[in-house]
Amino acid sequence: MATTPLIRRARLISRISLPGVLGLFCIFLQGLNWNVAGLAMFPPDILAIILFFWGIHGPRMVPVWMGFALGLVLDLLNGWPLGLSAIGYLIIIGFVATQRKTLMRDPFLFI
């Protein structure tokens, strides 16, 4: 079945925008009240998990600027010092980029 150029373009745009949209959704999730059995003090950093996953399984889909921009958005929404989360996410993306072969080779329990 032949696809039209419009459908191909829509698929390409959806593939490129998926990590960014998931990142914005994770920023929304991080803003929720996590008042469950003491989790309010240590909420999960869901965006770091998403950046780690996409850095391993789709490194071209998560460029460095996307991690930086999502970190800046998170800093602005939470009122944290500007660039704090952005630097942390850049460190995560850099670590995953350098250790990708090792992380892909080993099972999850041995990482």
Side-chain angles (χ1 to χ4, degrees), residues 34-84:
W34 291 91
N35 198 10
V36 179
L39 274 180
M41 288 184 62
F42 304 105
D45 194 356
I46 302 169
L47 184 56
I49 296 169
I50 292 294
L51 290 174
F52 188 84
F53 174 81
W54 283 107
I56 292 173
H57 295 288
R60 291 183 182 165
M61 296 177 75
V62 183
V64 174
W65 64 266
M66 186 181 295
F68 188 78
L70 290 172
L72 286 179
V73 169
L74 185 64
D75 289 340
L76 287 172
L77 291 177
N78 286 332
W80 296 337
L82 201 59
L84 186 68

Side-chain angles (χ1 to χ4, degrees), residues 91-103:
I91 291 171
I92 289 172
I93 291 173
F95 170 76
V96 170
T98 59
Q99 302 296 319
R100 184 173 183 272
K101 288 182 183 178
T102 305
L103 294 171

